[in-house]
Amino acid sequence: MDLSCFKAYDLRGRVPDQLNPQLAERIGRAYVEVTGAKRVIVGYDIRLSSHEITDALSSGLMAAGADVFDIGLCGTELVYFATSHYKMDGGIMVTASHNPRDHNGMKMVGPDSRPISSDNGLNDIRDRVPEPFGNAPEQGRYEPLEVTTAYIDHLLGYIDSGSLKPMTIVVNAGNGGAGLVIDELEQHLPFDFVKVHHQADGNFPNGVPNPILEENRAATAEAVIEHGAAMGIAWDGDYDRCFFFDENGRFIEGYYIVGLLADQFLRKTGGGKVIHDPRLTWNTIDLVKAAGGEAIESKTGHAFIKQRMRDEDAVYGGEMSAHHYFRDFAYCDSGMIPWLLVAERLCQSGQTLSSLIDARIEAYPASGEINRTIADPPKVITAIEAKYSVGAKNVSHVDGVSIEFDDWRFNLRMSNTEPVVRLNVESRGDIPLMKEKTAELLAEMQRLNEEG
Protein backbone atom coordinates (compact mmCIF):
# COMPACT_ATOMS: atom_id res chain seq x y z
CA MET A 1 0.00 0.00 0.00
CA ASP A 2 1.42 3.35 -1.11
CA LEU A 3 1.44 5.74 1.85
CA SER A 4 3.66 8.36 0.25
CA CYS A 5 0.86 10.93 0.52
CA PHE A 6 1.63 11.30 4.24
CA LYS A 7 3.89 14.35 4.73
CA ALA A 8 5.22 16.18 7.79
CA TYR A 9 2.13 18.32 8.38
CA ASP A 10 -0.59 16.91 6.13
CA LEU A 11 -1.40 14.49 3.30
CA ARG A 12 -0.76 15.30 -0.36
CA GLY A 13 -0.49 13.16 -3.45
CA ARG A 14 -1.62 12.45 -6.99
CA VAL A 15 -5.07 11.03 -7.61
CA PRO A 16 -5.63 8.11 -7.93
CA ASP A 17 -2.19 6.47 -7.57
CA GLN A 18 -1.14 8.16 -4.30
CA LEU A 19 -4.56 9.08 -2.91
CA ASN A 20 -7.87 7.46 -3.85
CA PRO A 21 -11.25 6.63 -2.26
CA GLN A 22 -10.09 3.21 -1.05
CA LEU A 23 -7.15 4.75 0.81
CA ALA A 24 -9.32 7.61 2.07
CA GLU A 25 -11.75 5.15 3.65
CA ARG A 26 -8.92 3.45 5.51
CA ILE A 27 -7.50 6.81 6.59
CA GLY A 28 -10.89 7.63 8.14
CA ARG A 29 -10.88 4.40 10.11
CA ALA A 30 -7.29 4.90 11.24
CA TYR A 31 -7.98 8.51 12.29
CA VAL A 32 -10.72 7.38 14.68
CA GLU A 33 -8.77 4.43 16.08
CA VAL A 34 -5.67 6.55 16.76
CA THR A 35 -7.36 9.73 18.06
CA GLY A 36 -10.46 8.23 19.68
CA ALA A 37 -12.57 10.98 18.09
CA LYS A 38 -16.33 10.52 18.33
CA ARG A 39 -17.52 13.69 16.55
CA VAL A 40 -15.60 14.84 13.47
CA ILE A 41 -16.03 17.83 11.14
CA VAL A 42 -15.41 17.05 7.45
CA GLY A 43 -15.11 19.59 4.63
CA TYR A 44 -13.67 19.65 1.11
CA ASP A 45 -12.31 22.04 -1.50
CA ILE A 46 -13.30 22.59 -5.14
CA ARG A 47 -11.06 19.93 -6.71
CA LEU A 48 -12.84 17.47 -8.98
CA SER A 49 -11.80 14.50 -6.85
CA SER A 50 -12.63 16.07 -3.48
CA HIS A 51 -16.27 15.02 -3.17
CA GLU A 52 -15.58 11.35 -3.88
CA ILE A 53 -12.59 11.24 -1.53
CA THR A 54 -14.63 12.99 1.20
CA ASP A 55 -17.47 10.47 0.86
CA ALA A 56 -15.00 7.60 1.26
CA LEU A 57 -13.28 9.30 4.20
CA SER A 58 -16.65 9.83 5.89
CA SER A 59 -17.55 6.17 5.37
CA GLY A 60 -14.34 5.16 7.11
CA LEU A 61 -14.93 7.55 9.99
CA MET A 62 -18.47 6.21 10.49
CA ALA A 63 -17.37 2.59 10.12
CA ALA A 64 -14.99 3.18 13.01
CA GLY A 65 -17.82 4.57 15.14
CA ALA A 66 -17.45 8.35 14.73
CA ASP A 67 -20.28 10.74 13.92
CA VAL A 68 -19.51 12.81 10.81
CA PHE A 69 -20.62 16.45 10.55
CA ASP A 70 -20.29 17.42 6.90
CA ILE A 71 -19.84 21.17 6.29
CA GLY A 72 -19.55 20.66 2.53
CA LEU A 73 -17.60 22.73 0.02
CA CYS A 74 -15.43 25.16 1.98
CA GLY A 75 -11.96 26.45 2.77
CA THR A 76 -9.58 24.96 5.30
CA GLU A 77 -10.30 27.66 7.83
CA LEU A 78 -13.98 26.65 8.00
CA VAL A 79 -12.91 23.22 9.23
CA TYR A 80 -10.73 24.93 11.83
CA PHE A 81 -13.58 27.24 12.82
CA ALA A 82 -16.28 24.55 12.96
CA THR A 83 -14.13 22.10 14.92
CA SER A 84 -13.42 24.71 17.58
CA HIS A 85 -16.73 26.58 17.55
CA TYR A 86 -18.88 23.46 17.89
CA LYS A 87 -16.42 21.78 20.28
CA MET A 88 -15.87 18.71 18.10
CA ASP A 89 -13.25 16.04 18.72
CA GLY A 90 -11.51 16.70 15.43
CA GLY A 91 -11.74 17.88 11.85
CA ILE A 92 -10.46 16.84 8.42
CA MET A 93 -10.26 19.08 5.37
CA VAL A 94 -9.90 17.39 1.98
CA THR A 95 -7.68 19.75 -0.03
CA ALA A 96 -4.41 19.99 -1.92
CA SER A 97 -4.38 23.79 -1.59
CA HIS A 98 -2.07 25.21 -4.30
CA ASN A 99 -0.73 21.87 -5.59
CA PRO A 100 -1.33 20.64 -9.18
CA ARG A 101 -4.84 19.95 -10.43
CA ASP A 102 -4.49 16.15 -10.35
CA HIS A 103 -3.45 16.15 -6.66
CA ASN A 104 -5.48 16.03 -3.50
CA GLY A 105 -4.81 15.67 0.21
CA MET A 106 -6.02 16.19 3.77
CA LYS A 107 -5.34 18.52 6.68
CA MET A 108 -6.19 17.07 10.09
CA VAL A 109 -6.86 18.65 13.47
CA GLY A 110 -7.86 17.41 16.91
CA PRO A 111 -9.89 19.08 19.70
CA ASP A 112 -9.76 22.90 19.68
CA SER A 113 -8.40 22.60 16.11
CA ARG A 114 -4.93 21.65 17.34
CA PRO A 115 -2.90 20.52 14.31
CA ILE A 116 -2.17 16.83 13.86
CA SER A 117 1.29 16.49 12.33
CA SER A 118 4.04 13.89 12.17
CA ASP A 119 5.20 14.55 15.72
CA ASN A 120 1.80 14.21 17.39
CA GLY A 121 -0.24 11.51 15.69
CA LEU A 122 -0.04 11.75 11.92
CA ASN A 123 2.61 9.03 11.68
CA ASP A 124 0.53 6.85 13.99
CA ILE A 125 -2.44 7.25 11.65
CA ARG A 126 -0.22 6.40 8.67
CA ASP A 127 1.11 3.27 10.39
CA ARG A 128 -2.40 2.16 11.33
CA VAL A 129 -3.79 2.45 7.76
CA PRO A 130 -2.45 -0.86 6.35
CA GLU A 131 -3.39 -2.94 9.42
CA PRO A 132 -6.61 -4.99 9.62
CA PHE A 133 -9.61 -3.18 11.11
CA GLY A 134 -12.15 -4.65 13.50
CA ASN A 135 -15.84 -3.77 13.62
CA ALA A 136 -16.89 -0.79 15.73
CA PRO A 137 -19.51 -1.51 18.42
CA GLU A 138 -21.83 0.95 16.67
CA GLN A 139 -21.82 2.65 13.26
CA GLY A 140 -21.42 6.42 13.42
CA ARG A 141 -24.08 8.71 11.98
CA TYR A 142 -23.90 11.34 9.25
CA GLU A 143 -25.22 14.89 9.59
CA PRO A 144 -24.85 17.91 7.30
CA LEU A 145 -23.90 21.02 9.28
CA GLU A 146 -24.42 24.63 8.19
CA VAL A 147 -21.57 26.75 9.53
CA THR A 148 -21.44 29.71 7.13
CA THR A 149 -23.70 31.98 9.19
CA ALA A 150 -21.70 31.57 12.39
CA TYR A 151 -18.41 31.87 10.45
CA ILE A 152 -19.38 35.12 8.73
CA ASP A 153 -20.55 36.58 12.05
CA HIS A 154 -17.19 35.63 13.56
CA LEU A 155 -15.22 37.26 10.73
CA LEU A 156 -17.16 40.50 11.04
CA GLY A 157 -16.39 40.56 14.76
CA TYR A 158 -12.75 41.45 14.01
CA ILE A 159 -13.57 44.85 12.54
CA ASP A 160 -15.50 47.98 13.42
CA SER A 161 -18.08 47.95 10.63
CA GLY A 162 -19.08 51.51 11.49
CA SER A 163 -15.65 52.81 10.51
CA LEU A 164 -15.75 51.26 7.03
CA LYS A 165 -16.21 53.48 3.97
CA PRO A 166 -17.03 52.67 0.35
CA MET A 167 -13.99 51.69 -1.72
CA THR A 168 -13.18 49.39 -4.62
CA ILE A 169 -11.34 46.15 -3.90
CA VAL A 170 -10.17 43.60 -6.47
CA VAL A 171 -10.63 40.02 -5.27
CA ASN A 172 -9.09 37.07 -7.12
CA ALA A 173 -10.22 33.66 -5.87
CA GLY A 174 -8.20 31.89 -8.56
CA ASN A 175 -11.30 29.74 -9.22
CA GLY A 176 -10.83 28.34 -5.72
CA GLY A 177 -13.23 28.59 -2.81
CA ALA A 178 -12.65 32.17 -1.63
CA GLY A 179 -15.30 33.63 -3.91
CA LEU A 180 -18.05 31.86 -2.00
CA VAL A 181 -17.05 33.70 1.20
CA ILE A 182 -16.67 37.06 -0.56
CA ASP A 183 -20.23 36.72 -1.86
CA GLU A 184 -21.45 36.22 1.72
CA LEU A 185 -19.37 39.07 3.18
CA GLU A 186 -20.40 41.42 0.39
CA GLN A 187 -23.89 41.72 1.88
CA HIS A 188 -22.45 43.20 5.09
CA LEU A 189 -19.74 45.53 3.73
CA PRO A 190 -19.79 48.89 1.88
CA PHE A 191 -17.11 47.78 -0.60
CA ASP A 192 -17.43 47.44 -4.36
CA PHE A 193 -15.77 44.13 -5.26
CA VAL A 194 -14.20 43.59 -8.66
CA LYS A 195 -14.26 39.80 -8.97
CA VAL A 196 -11.50 38.08 -10.94
CA HIS A 197 -11.46 34.30 -11.62
CA HIS A 198 -14.30 34.25 -9.14
CA GLN A 199 -16.28 31.09 -9.84
CA ALA A 200 -15.19 27.93 -8.04
CA ASP A 201 -13.98 25.51 -10.72
CA GLY A 202 -11.87 22.44 -10.02
CA ASN A 203 -10.68 22.43 -13.63
CA PHE A 204 -8.63 25.53 -12.74
CA PRO A 205 -9.20 27.19 -16.14
CA ASN A 206 -6.81 30.02 -15.22
CA GLY A 207 -4.12 27.80 -13.68
CA VAL A 208 -3.64 26.42 -10.19
CA PRO A 209 -4.43 29.17 -7.64
CA ASN A 210 -1.04 30.01 -6.19
CA PRO A 211 -0.37 33.77 -6.04
CA ILE A 212 3.15 33.22 -4.74
CA LEU A 213 4.09 32.43 -8.36
CA GLU A 214 4.85 35.64 -10.22
CA GLU A 215 3.10 34.46 -13.38
CA ASN A 216 -0.17 34.23 -11.42
CA ARG A 217 -0.16 37.84 -10.23
CA ALA A 218 -0.83 39.78 -13.44
CA ALA A 219 -4.62 39.33 -13.50
CA THR A 220 -4.99 40.85 -10.04
CA ALA A 221 -2.49 43.65 -10.63
CA GLU A 222 -4.05 44.64 -13.98
CA ALA A 223 -7.57 44.69 -12.53
CA VAL A 224 -6.43 46.96 -9.67
CA ILE A 225 -5.04 49.49 -12.15
CA GLU A 226 -7.97 49.22 -14.57
CA HIS A 227 -10.60 49.82 -11.89
CA GLY A 228 -8.65 52.27 -9.74
CA ALA A 229 -9.02 49.94 -6.76
CA ALA A 230 -7.76 50.69 -3.26
CA MET A 231 -6.10 47.28 -3.14
CA GLY A 232 -6.15 43.78 -4.58
CA ILE A 233 -6.35 40.46 -2.77
CA ALA A 234 -5.60 36.99 -4.15
CA TRP A 235 -5.96 33.61 -2.45
CA ASP A 236 -4.75 30.08 -2.90
CA GLY A 237 -7.28 27.31 -3.54
CA ASP A 238 -8.37 26.62 0.03
CA TYR A 239 -7.87 30.32 0.95
CA ASP A 240 -5.83 29.82 4.09
CA ARG A 241 -3.31 32.29 2.60
CA CYS A 242 -4.07 35.73 1.17
CA PHE A 243 -1.78 38.00 -0.82
CA PHE A 244 -2.00 41.77 -1.19
CA PHE A 245 -1.52 44.26 -4.02
CA ASP A 246 -1.45 48.02 -3.40
CA GLU A 247 -3.44 50.62 -5.36
CA ASN A 248 -0.69 50.68 -8.01
CA GLY A 249 -0.98 46.94 -8.63
CA ARG A 250 2.29 46.23 -6.83
CA PHE A 251 2.56 42.85 -5.11
CA ILE A 252 3.46 43.32 -1.44
CA GLU A 253 5.90 40.97 0.25
CA GLY A 254 4.22 39.04 3.06
CA TYR A 255 6.85 40.26 5.53
CA TYR A 256 5.45 43.79 5.50
CA ILE A 257 1.87 42.54 5.87
CA VAL A 258 2.87 40.76 9.11
CA GLY A 259 4.04 44.06 10.58
CA LEU A 260 0.94 45.90 9.38
CA LEU A 261 -1.42 43.31 10.87
CA ALA A 262 0.52 43.13 14.14
CA ASP A 263 0.26 46.90 14.47
CA GLN A 264 -3.46 46.95 13.60
CA PHE A 265 -4.27 44.10 15.99
CA LEU A 266 -2.29 45.52 18.90
CA ARG A 267 -4.10 48.84 18.46
CA LYS A 268 -7.32 46.94 19.14
CA THR A 269 -6.07 44.82 22.04
CA GLY A 270 -3.95 47.47 23.72
CA GLY A 271 -0.92 45.19 23.80
CA GLY A 272 -0.16 41.49 23.84
CA LYS A 273 2.24 39.02 22.35
CA VAL A 274 2.90 38.52 18.65
CA ILE A 275 4.59 35.43 17.20
CA HIS A 276 6.72 35.76 14.08
CA ASP A 277 9.07 33.53 12.10
CA PRO A 278 12.86 34.09 12.03
CA ARG A 279 13.34 34.74 8.32
CA LEU A 280 12.78 38.51 8.37
CA THR A 281 12.18 40.14 11.74
CA TRP A 282 13.29 43.74 12.28
CA ASN A 283 10.22 45.45 10.81
CA THR A 284 7.86 43.28 12.84
CA ILE A 285 9.81 43.73 16.07
CA ASP A 286 9.90 47.50 15.56
CA LEU A 287 6.15 47.84 14.93
CA VAL A 288 5.15 45.47 17.72
CA LYS A 289 7.28 47.34 20.26
CA ALA A 290 5.92 50.70 19.13
CA ALA A 291 2.34 49.41 19.57
CA GLY A 292 3.04 48.25 23.13
CA GLY A 293 3.32 44.54 22.32
CA GLU A 294 5.95 41.84 22.74
CA ALA A 295 7.43 40.12 19.67
CA ILE A 296 8.38 36.46 20.08
CA GLU A 297 10.30 34.41 17.52
CA SER A 298 9.19 30.88 16.60
CA LYS A 299 10.41 28.23 14.21
CA THR A 300 8.78 28.48 10.77
CA GLY A 301 5.77 26.24 10.10
CA HIS A 302 2.14 26.27 11.13
CA ALA A 303 2.43 23.53 13.76
CA PHE A 304 5.28 25.37 15.51
CA ILE A 305 3.63 28.80 15.28
CA LYS A 306 0.28 27.54 16.58
CA GLN A 307 1.85 25.75 19.53
CA ARG A 308 3.96 28.77 20.45
CA MET A 309 0.87 30.99 20.23
CA ARG A 310 -0.93 28.70 22.67
CA ASP A 311 2.08 28.61 24.99
CA GLU A 312 2.32 32.40 25.02
CA ASP A 313 -1.41 33.17 24.63
CA ALA A 314 -0.40 35.41 21.73
CA VAL A 315 -3.07 37.56 20.09
CA TYR A 316 -1.61 37.22 16.58
CA GLY A 317 1.05 35.30 14.70
CA GLY A 318 2.37 35.88 11.20
CA GLU A 319 4.67 34.23 8.70
CA MET A 320 6.07 36.01 5.67
CA SER A 321 4.68 33.11 3.58
CA ALA A 322 1.21 34.73 3.98
CA HIS A 323 -0.05 32.58 6.85
CA HIS A 324 -1.70 34.69 9.56
CA TYR A 325 -2.89 33.24 12.88
CA PHE A 326 -5.35 34.64 15.42
CA ARG A 327 -5.94 33.73 19.06
CA ASP A 328 -9.71 34.14 18.74
CA PHE A 329 -9.69 31.89 15.68
CA ALA A 330 -8.53 28.90 17.75
CA TYR A 331 -4.93 30.08 17.15
CA CYS A 332 -5.42 28.99 13.52
CA ASP A 333 -4.63 30.65 10.21
CA SER A 334 -7.21 32.53 8.18
CA GLY A 335 -7.08 34.04 4.72
CA MET A 336 -10.14 36.21 5.36
CA ILE A 337 -9.41 37.99 8.66
CA PRO A 338 -6.19 39.66 7.33
CA TRP A 339 -7.76 41.52 4.42
CA LEU A 340 -10.67 42.68 6.57
CA LEU A 341 -8.17 44.20 9.03
CA VAL A 342 -6.18 45.88 6.24
CA ALA A 343 -9.37 47.28 4.69
CA GLU A 344 -10.38 48.63 8.09
CA ARG A 345 -6.97 50.27 8.47
CA LEU A 346 -7.28 51.99 5.08
CA CYS A 347 -10.72 53.32 6.00
CA GLN A 348 -9.69 54.52 9.45
CA SER A 349 -6.37 56.10 8.43
CA GLY A 350 -7.34 57.59 5.11
CA GLN A 351 -3.96 56.45 3.83
CA THR A 352 -3.23 54.41 0.75
CA LEU A 353 -1.82 50.92 1.14
CA SER A 354 1.34 51.95 -0.70
CA SER A 355 1.99 54.79 1.74
CA LEU A 356 1.61 52.42 4.71
CA ILE A 357 3.97 49.87 3.15
CA ASP A 358 6.54 52.20 1.52
CA ALA A 359 7.59 53.64 4.86
CA ARG A 360 8.30 50.13 6.15
CA ILE A 361 10.19 49.03 3.04
CA GLU A 362 12.31 52.16 3.34
CA ALA A 363 13.00 51.47 7.02
CA TYR A 364 13.76 47.76 6.55
CA PRO A 365 14.43 46.82 2.91
CA ALA A 366 14.46 43.04 2.37
CA SER A 367 15.51 40.62 -0.33
CA GLY A 368 12.41 38.47 -0.13
CA GLU A 369 12.95 34.72 0.04
CA ILE A 370 15.49 33.41 -2.48
CA ASN A 371 15.67 29.64 -3.07
CA ARG A 372 18.74 27.84 -4.37
CA THR A 373 19.14 24.13 -5.13
CA ILE A 374 22.16 22.85 -3.22
CA ALA A 375 23.65 19.34 -3.28
CA ASP A 376 24.56 19.32 0.42
CA PRO A 377 22.51 21.97 2.28
CA PRO A 378 23.82 21.26 5.82
CA LYS A 379 27.43 21.58 4.66
CA VAL A 380 26.80 24.90 2.92
CA ILE A 381 24.86 26.35 5.85
CA THR A 382 27.60 25.31 8.29
CA ALA A 383 30.28 26.91 6.12
CA ILE A 384 28.29 30.15 5.75
CA GLU A 385 27.78 30.31 9.51
CA ALA A 386 31.49 29.75 10.18
CA LYS A 387 32.41 32.61 7.86
CA TYR A 388 29.79 35.17 8.85
CA SER A 389 29.51 34.56 12.58
CA VAL A 390 32.92 36.20 13.04
CA GLY A 391 32.20 39.69 14.32
CA ALA A 392 28.44 39.16 14.33
CA LYS A 393 26.27 40.85 16.95
CA ASN A 394 24.06 37.78 17.38
CA VAL A 395 23.79 34.22 16.01
CA SER A 396 20.54 32.27 16.43
CA HIS A 397 19.46 28.73 15.52
CA VAL A 398 15.71 28.98 16.03
CA ASP A 399 15.30 27.90 12.40
CA GLY A 400 18.38 27.34 10.28
CA VAL A 401 20.87 30.05 11.16
CA SER A 402 20.15 33.76 11.66
CA ILE A 403 23.16 36.06 11.83
CA GLU A 404 22.76 39.69 12.85
CA PHE A 405 25.04 42.70 12.54
CA ASP A 406 24.35 46.31 13.53
CA ASP A 407 22.97 47.34 10.14
CA TRP A 408 22.02 44.09 8.37
CA ARG A 409 21.04 40.49 9.08
CA PHE A 410 20.19 37.30 7.24
CA ASN A 411 18.54 33.93 7.77
CA LEU A 412 19.58 30.79 5.91
CA ARG A 413 17.55 27.62 6.31
CA MET A 414 16.97 24.43 4.38
CA SER A 415 13.73 22.99 3.12
CA ASN A 416 12.25 20.04 4.98
CA THR A 417 11.31 18.31 1.72
CA GLU A 418 13.85 19.12 -1.00
CA PRO A 419 17.58 19.95 -1.45
CA VAL A 420 16.91 23.67 -1.38
CA VAL A 421 18.23 26.40 0.89
CA ARG A 422 16.21 29.56 1.50
CA LEU A 423 17.90 32.92 2.01
CA ASN A 424 16.42 36.13 3.42
CA VAL A 425 18.42 39.32 3.90
CA GLU A 426 17.39 42.69 5.36
CA SER A 427 19.06 45.92 6.41
CA ARG A 428 18.31 49.02 8.43
CA GLY A 429 17.29 51.59 5.86
CA ASP A 430 20.07 50.76 3.40
CA ILE A 431 18.88 49.24 0.11
CA PRO A 432 22.36 49.15 -1.53
CA LEU A 433 23.78 47.31 1.50
CA MET A 434 20.92 44.78 1.46
CA LYS A 435 21.46 44.11 -2.25
CA GLU A 436 25.23 43.91 -1.84
CA LYS A 437 25.04 41.38 0.99
CA THR A 438 22.40 39.34 -0.83
CA ALA A 439 24.60 39.05 -3.91
CA GLU A 440 27.62 38.27 -1.75
CA LEU A 441 25.86 35.44 0.09
CA LEU A 442 24.45 33.95 -3.11
CA ALA A 443 27.90 33.96 -4.70
CA GLU A 444 29.40 32.28 -1.63
CA MET A 445 26.65 29.64 -1.62
CA GLN A 446 27.27 28.90 -5.30
CA ARG A 447 31.01 28.62 -4.73
CA LEU A 448 30.54 26.21 -1.84
CA ASN A 449 28.07 24.15 -3.83
CA GLU A 450 30.44 23.87 -6.80
CA GLU A 451 33.28 22.81 -4.51
CA GLY A 452 31.07 19.95 -3.30
Side-chain angles (χ1 to χ4, degrees), residues 244-353:
F244 290 84
F245 298 75
D246 70 14
E247 76 280 4
N248 302 309
R250 176 183 59 171
F251 180 82
I252 300 171
E253 285 288 345
Y255 172 41
Y256 300 106
I257 297 297
V258 172
L260 181 62
L261 289 175
D263 179 56
Q264 180 73 349
F265 221 78
L266 291 169
R267 286 167 183 255
K268 292 174 173 289
T269 58
K273 296 178 180 179
V274 170
I275 308 298
H276 62 89
D277 68 75
R279 289 173 283 187
L280 295 167
T281 66
W282 279 347
N283 181 60
T284 305
I285 292 169
D286 187 20
L287 285 170
V288 168
K289 184 178 180 181
E294 179 185 352
I296 298 172
E297 194 168 278
S298 165
K299 187 171 182 177
T300 306
H302 81 103
F304 300 111
I305 298 274
K306 289 172 180 175
Q307 186 57 51
R308 192 65 188 274
M309 285 189 69
R310 290 179 189 277
D311 293 343
E312 302 286 351
D313 194 31
V315 296
Y316 164 72
E319 292 183 276
M320 57 174 283
S321 55
H323 284 285
H324 303 280
Y325 309 85
F326 302 89
R327 179 175 64 190
D328 296 336
F329 201 67
Y331 300 99
C332 290
D333 37 337
S334 166
M336 288 293 160
I337 299 169
W339 79 261
L340 287 167
L341 289 168
V342 173
E344 178 189 53
R345 179 64 171 272
L346 296 183
C347 293
Q348 291 175 344
S349 69
Q351 291 181 266
T352 61
L353 184 52

Side-chain angles (χ1 to χ4, degrees), residues 67-368:
D67 294 336
V68 169
F69 295 85
D70 184 355
I71 64 173
L73 178 63
C74 65
T76 297
E77 66 189 67
L78 262 84
V79 168
Y80 296 156
F81 171 77
T83 303
S84 171
H85 184 76
Y86 295 103
K87 300 187 179 345
M88 297 291 179
D89 299 321
I92 303 176
M93 175 68 183
V94 174
T95 179
S97 185
H98 58 278
N99 285 277
R101 188 175 69 173
D102 61 343
H103 284 55
N104 217 321
M106 299 180 193
K107 295 178 181 178
M108 298 180 174
V109 295
D112 300 318
S113 292
R114 291 177 180 267
I116 296 176
S117 58
S118 57
D119 58 357
N120 71 338
L122 191 59
N123 288 349
D124 296 329
I125 294 170
R126 177 199 65 199
D127 295 343
R128 183 70 188 86
V129 166
E131 300 298 320
F133 293 108
N135 293 321
E138 186 176 344
Q139 174 91 359
R141 64 187 179 91
Y142 172 88
E143 180 180 326
L145 182 63
E146 194 281 314
V147 303
T148 303
T149 302
Y151 166 67
I152 295 296
D153 286 346
H154 183 85
L155 292 181
L156 293 171
Y158 286 88
I159 55 173
D160 174 12
S161 297
S163 70
L164 303 182
K165 302 168 185 175
M167 64 179 176
T168 300
I169 299 176
V170 169
V171 289
N172 185 348
N175 302 115
L180 301 170
V181 181
I182 293 300
D183 290 344
E184 293 288 338
L185 285 169
E186 187 174 25
Q187 305 166 41
H188 305 277
L189 300 170
F191 306 141
D192 176 23
F193 290 107
V194 176
K195 299 173 181 178
V196 177
H197 303 160
H198 191 69
Q199 298 304 317
D201 186 344
N203 290 297
F204 296 142
N206 297 289
V208 176
N210 185 11
I212 205 76
L213 301 176
E214 287 192 30
E215 60 266 28
N216 290 352
R217 298 174 187 171
T220 310
E222 290 167 3
V224 168
I225 295 168
E226 179 185 348
H227 295 275
M231 67 174 172
I233 311 149
W235 293 269
D236 58 2
D238 63 335
Y239 58 90
D240 60 351
R241 294 184 300 159
C242 64
F243 300 82
F244 290 84
F245 298 75
D246 70 14
E247 76 280 4
N248 302 309
R250 176 183 59 171
F251 180 82
I252 300 171
E253 285 288 345
Y255 172 41
Y256 300 106
I257 297 297
V258 172
L260 181 62
L261 289 175
D263 179 56
Q264 180 73 349
F265 221 78
L266 291 169
R267 286 167 183 255
K268 292 174 173 289
T269 58
K273 296 178 180 179
V274 170
I275 308 298
H276 62 89
D277 68 75
R279 289 173 283 187
L280 295 167
T281 66
W282 279 347
N283 181 60
T284 305
I285 292 169
D286 187 20
L287 285 170
V288 168
K289 184 178 180 181
E294 179 185 352
I296 298 172
E297 194 168 278
S298 165
K299 187 171 182 177
T300 306
H302 81 103
F304 300 111
I305 298 274
K306 289 172 180 175
Q307 186 57 51
R308 192 65 188 274
M309 285 189 69
R310 290 179 189 277
D311 293 343
E312 302 286 351
D313 194 31
V315 296
Y316 164 72
E319 292 183 276
M320 57 174 283
S321 55
H323 284 285
H324 303 280
Y325 309 85
F326 302 89
R327 179 175 64 190
D328 296 336
F329 201 67
Y331 300 99
C332 290
D333 37 337
S334 166
M336 288 293 160
I337 299 169
W339 79 261
L340 287 167
L341 289 168
V342 173
E344 178 189 53
R345 179 64 171 272
L346 296 183
C347 293
Q348 291 175 344
S349 69
Q351 291 181 266
T352 61
L353 184 52
S354 66
S355 67
L356 289 170
I357 296 298
D358 282 346
R360 306 317 304 174
I361 294 175
E362 186 176 325
Y364 298 103
S367 64

